[in-house]
Amino acid sequence: MPSSVMPTPRRHGDAQSPAAVSAVDLRKSYGDKTVLDGIDLRIPAGTVFALLGPNGAGKTTTVQILSTLVAADGGQAQVAGHDVATSPDGVRAAIGVTGQFAALDDLLTAEENLLLMADLLRLGKREGRARAKELLDTFGIADVAHQRAATFSGGMRRRLDLAMTLVGDPEVIFLDEPTTGLDPRSRRTMWDMVRALVAGGTTVFLTTQYLEEADQLADRIAVLDGGRIVAEGTADELKARIPGSHVRLRFTESADYERAAAAFPGAARDDDNLALRVAGDAGLDALRALLDRLDAAGIRAAGFSVHTPDLDDVFLALTGEGTASGATPPHLKETR
């Protein structure tokens, strides 16, 4: 993404950076249903924050409160230095919001949609046209600038929707499940655009159902369940909380299998498939030590696979999703 479209670069955030978004004891109920039960957030400026959770967990409600679309029942929140309750106009002037569905006027062309947004933001005619041209070029839709949005594919609609969000050069962008329904290529294009925004200093608040998306983009991730934040940290920190790292050794000869079982007495046996599951750190040093141990005993394995917990495992463990089946799907990295 050309730097001319980006805001003046701001320092990339860390834990000591000023908070672009913060919330303390945020609460929201609809009737007798509690959606948010006192959540706390602190998002440093110039970072990507991802909020994960099952359907109905309150992700969209959180975005709606922070973007002033609905009022909280309790607690406090600030966005870009403005209090959500007492200075909503200040918040709105500093943010952009891309919802779950592209907010386009299908009767207008791509350029007209952008110019409409520029008018709503009270940009001058010359400034608005220049901004629209920049964004059309940046998002690769200049060649269809005069086509109606109704004719666009899902990926093109999403790109135009994000471009409209950027017309006002926001400090903070809320992306509420922005890649839902997109094909893998379009999704990765969106990821590249998000990375470019953050490189320019923009803060991105992301909700998503795609755990790989959070893993790829987010500096920090929070898991929302039952109206509460049940875990927060970097992707690696969250993965480290979940036990289950192991190496699965496979054998073709029964003799080798039995000798390996004797060498690793704590390993879980799979006699039908002549395989052992050796629990422990699946890092490179531990893997090298395990293979050296096999070589020292003169045991030859036919192959092995390494399993380390990923965000799917984190999600399932922390939210209870899928526990009815009693099984966590395997995520194995094969090595031969």
Side-chain angles (χ1 to χ4, degrees):
M1 188 177 291
S3 60
S4 61
V5 182
M6 293 293 95
T8 301
R10 309 174 185 102
R11 187 171 64 86
H12 199 282
D14 55 34
Q16 277 66 51
S17 297
V21 179
S22 62
V24 178
D25 197 30
L26 208 59
R27 298 177 179 273
K28 183 66 180 178
S29 297
Y30 292 100
D32 59 358
K33 178 177 174 54
T34 299
V35 180
L36 298 179
D37 191 17
I39 69 169
D40 298 337
L41 298 171
R42 187 187 185 282
I43 304 171
T47 64
V48 181
F49 176 85
L51 187 63
L52 306 182
N55 289 329
K59 301 186 300 297
T60 296
T61 298
T62 302
V63 170
Q64 290 174 334
I65 291 172
L66 294 174
S67 59
T68 76
L69 294 176
V70 301
D73 295 336
Q76 296 179 325
Q78 288 191 335
V79 177
H82 304 282
D83 188 278
V84 169
T86 62
S87 182
D89 289 343
V91 172
R92 293 170 195 145
I95 67 171
V97 181
T98 296
Q100 295 182 21
F101 305 99
L104 308 178
D105 188 327
D106 285 340
L107 298 178
L108 300 181
T109 67
E111 183 181 45
E112 289 169 342
N113 269 284
L114 291 168
L115 292 175
L116 174 61
M117 182 59 67
D119 286 343
L120 292 172
L121 293 171
R122 299 181 180 179
L123 300 184
K125 183 171 292 188
R126 179 178 297 179
E127 183 183 0
R129 288 193 175 278
R131 187 67 173 158
K133 183 181 185 305
E134 283 184 309
L135 291 167
L136 288 166
D137 290 339
T138 294
F139 285 87
I141 49 179
D143 57 337
V144 292
H146 302 297
Q147 292 184 23
R148 288 170 53 187
T151 67
F152 286 8
S153 67
M156 290 172 63
R157 291 175 67 84
R158 266 310 187 187
R159 278 188 274 169
L160 178 56
D161 194 35
L162 183 54
M164 291 176 66
T165 301
L166 295 177
V167 169
D169 194 11
E171 295 178 47
V172 179
I173 296 178
F174 293 95
L175 301 180
D176 191 12
E177 301 189 21
T179 62
T180 297
L182 296 187
D183 63 77
R185 185 184 300 276
S186 296
R187 184 173 299 129
R188 290 184 181 277
T189 298
M190 285 291 290
W191 292 355
D192 288 341
M193 292 175 177
V194 171
R195 291 186 183 105
L197 289 170
V198 176
T202 305
T203 304
V204 175
F205 186 112
L206 170 73
T207 75
T208 181
Q209 293 283 4
Y210 298 106
L211 303 185
E212 182 190 5
E213 188 161 85
D215 208 352
Q216 287 281 335
L217 295 177
D219 296 292
R220 291 188 69 80
I221 299 168
V223 182
L224 183 65
D225 190 41
R228 292 181 174 274
I229 301 292
V230 295
E232 183 177 350
T234 66
D236 287 342
E237 287 170 349
L238 293 180
K239 293 172 190 177
R241 295 179 55 164
I242 307 301
S245 295
H246 65 269
V247 176
R248 186 172 185 268
L249 299 170
R250 304 186 304 280
F251 302 88
T252 55
E253 301 294 333
S254 296
D256 285 332
Y257 172 60
E258 292 298 339
R259 291 171 63 199
F264 299 96
R269 297 175 59 114
D270 180 357
D271 294 339
D272 292 339
N273 295 300
L274 299 181
L276 294 177
R277 174 172 165 164
V278 183
D281 180 6
L284 185 60
D285 290 342
L287 180 59
R288 184 180 294 112
L290 183 150
L291 296 177
D292 288 345
R293 194 167 165 186
L294 286 175
D295 286 342
I299 303 169
R300 182 176 181 81
F304 66 89
S305 57
V306 177
H307 174 95
T308 55
D310 59 16
L311 283 183
D312 284 6
D313 298 312
V314 173
F315 187 88
L316 291 167
L318 294 176
T319 67
E321 289 288 290
T323 53
S325 67
T328 298
H331 304 281
L332 300 179
K333 178 182 177 182
E334 295 291 340
T335 309
R336 292 182 176 86

